[in-house]
Amino acid sequence: MKFDIRNAELYYGDFKALKGISLDVGEREITALIGPSGCGKSTFLKTLNRMNDLVPNVRIEGDVRLKGEDIFAREMQLTDLRRRVGMVFQKANPFPMSIYDNVAYVIRTLGISSREINARVTGALKIVGLYDKMHATPAELSGGEQQRVGIARAIVNGPPLLIADEPTTALDVTLQAQILHLMKKIQEERNSSIIFITHDLGVVAGMADRVAVMYAGKIVEYGTVDEVFYNPKHPYTWGLLNSMPTTETESGSLEAIPGTPPDLLYPPKGDAFAARNAF
């Protein structure tokens, strides 16, 4: 397993944002993370990459291992973790420097030679299709190309795991398809694993091997795409799937989940979905 996550919990002071999350991410697998806004998806991914270490009053509990190594152990240096886990954000936000320097910036503190830096950077830029534009600045690139810069920065260290937080949200449909195809290509060519957040169930069906459904800081359903799509167990998942149009959907027949997600600052007692659950 790339990631073996057991009972991961995260607290902001006394507020419990993640509640006993357990998840396995296998070799060369793509795992999709879905759920309503505010349910903890981004918080969970940033916890895996230890970005939440920078937030005041954060406490993390549980067991999270990358190839058997505890990523929260003090001896696990962040520079070591960054070599193994790449992060792709919703928006790339490249620095105002050349594309080459944007990607090289990530690895210049690792103590490797200039020749090795050049080899890694040019290799990453070739994979994302920006080798011919390495001397351009971000202002000269389209939104899709800027996102490719972000992907190049994430893969330049050759990490076995990529985590992506809605990497296509800011793009139009055509560019979304290109970025998703690129990520699938990287996963296949580099034998890497990917965890990504999306709100598009069609993307999940077409790209992922496994899917985890989150609600109110917990994973309420987890399995292969076929298991979750064709034999869902949780009423929230039923509602999600019933709200997805198909070629056989009649006009006006889509169902909506009644109510709204709970306020996690004042969570309900017991099942957080109970107030919206018709069953």
Side-chain angles (χ1 to χ4, degrees):
M1 292 290 179
K2 293 294 183 187
F3 256 126
D4 184 18
I5 303 155
R6 290 293 174 268
N7 201 34
E9 298 187 333
L10 181 138
Y11 295 81
Y12 296 116
D14 295 330
F15 169 55
K16 192 175 185 179
L18 299 180
K19 305 170 184 178
I21 290 181
S22 296
L23 187 69
D24 294 324
V25 181
E27 301 275 347
R28 298 181 293 278
E29 280 190 347
I30 297 179
T31 299
L33 198 59
I34 62 176
S37 296
C39 72
K41 302 184 300 296
S42 294
T43 297
F44 175 53
L45 289 194
K46 289 174 182 176
T47 298
L48 297 183
N49 203 30
R50 288 184 58 181
M51 292 184 67
N52 281 319
D53 288 12
L54 305 175
V55 180
N57 299 318
V58 160
R59 185 173 87 258
I60 300 172
E61 298 179 356
D63 190 39
V64 181
R65 296 182 179 272
L66 176 59
K67 283 194 169 181
E69 291 188 68
D70 183 357
I71 70 166
F72 296 136
R74 293 188 178 185
E75 57 268 21
M76 171 67 82
Q77 300 295 319
L78 286 180
T79 51
D80 293 334
L81 185 62
R82 298 293 183 264
R83 288 188 178 101
R84 306 178 197 188
V85 182
M87 182 82 179
V88 182
F89 299 94
Q90 286 187 25
K91 197 170 184 331
N93 291 324
F95 303 119
M97 57 180 72
S98 74
I99 302 311
Y100 181 97
D101 288 335
N102 261 276
V103 180
Y105 181 86
V106 179
I107 56 175
R108 279 185 170 143
T109 61
L110 299 182
I112 57 180
S113 68
S114 297
R115 178 177 294 181
E116 178 64 17
I117 289 174
N118 184 68
R120 292 191 190 186
V121 173
T122 55
L125 290 175
K126 285 178 181 177
I127 289 174
V128 302
L130 290 177
Y131 178 76
D132 293 337
K133 295 188 176 183
M134 69 169 68
H135 300 299
T137 62
E140 300 174 271
L141 303 183
S142 68
E145 288 172 330
Q146 289 186 17
Q147 190 67 335
R148 288 171 181 264
V149 175
I151 294 174
R153 290 194 303 208
I155 67 172
V156 69
N157 273 325
L161 179 72
L162 285 178
I163 53 181
D165 188 352
E166 297 190 73
T168 62
T169 296
L171 306 176
D172 63 38
V173 174
T174 301
L175 292 177
Q176 286 181 19
Q178 292 175 5
I179 294 299
L180 291 171
H181 175 76
L182 173 60
M183 292 184 66
K184 183 69 175 177
K185 173 186 173 185
I186 290 169
Q187 183 258 342
E188 292 174 347
E189 291 185 357
R190 295 203 164 192
N191 293 321
S192 57
S193 300
I194 297 175
I195 309 175
F196 74 101
I197 294 173
T198 183
H199 288 283
D200 190 329
L201 296 181
V203 169
V204 176
M207 185 171 173
D209 300 297
R210 295 182 180 272
V211 55
V213 183
M214 284 192 70
Y215 192 84
K218 297 175 65 175
I219 290 181
V220 297
E221 187 146 9
Y222 174 61
T224 67
V225 170
D226 285 348
E227 288 170 345
V228 173
F229 274 53
Y230 295 108
N231 190 25
K233 304 296 185 183
H234 196 277
Y236 175 67
T237 313
W238 300 345
L240 278 182
L241 295 174
N242 287 336
S243 68
M244 183 174 67
T246 69
T247 55
E248 299 176 357
T249 301
E250 297 180 4
S251 177
S253 64
L254 288 179
E255 298 182 18
I257 302 174
T260 57
D263 183 349
L264 295 187
L265 290 175
Y266 306 98
K269 294 181 180 179
D271 179 10
F273 189 66
R276 307 178 71 190
N277 189 352
F279 305 93

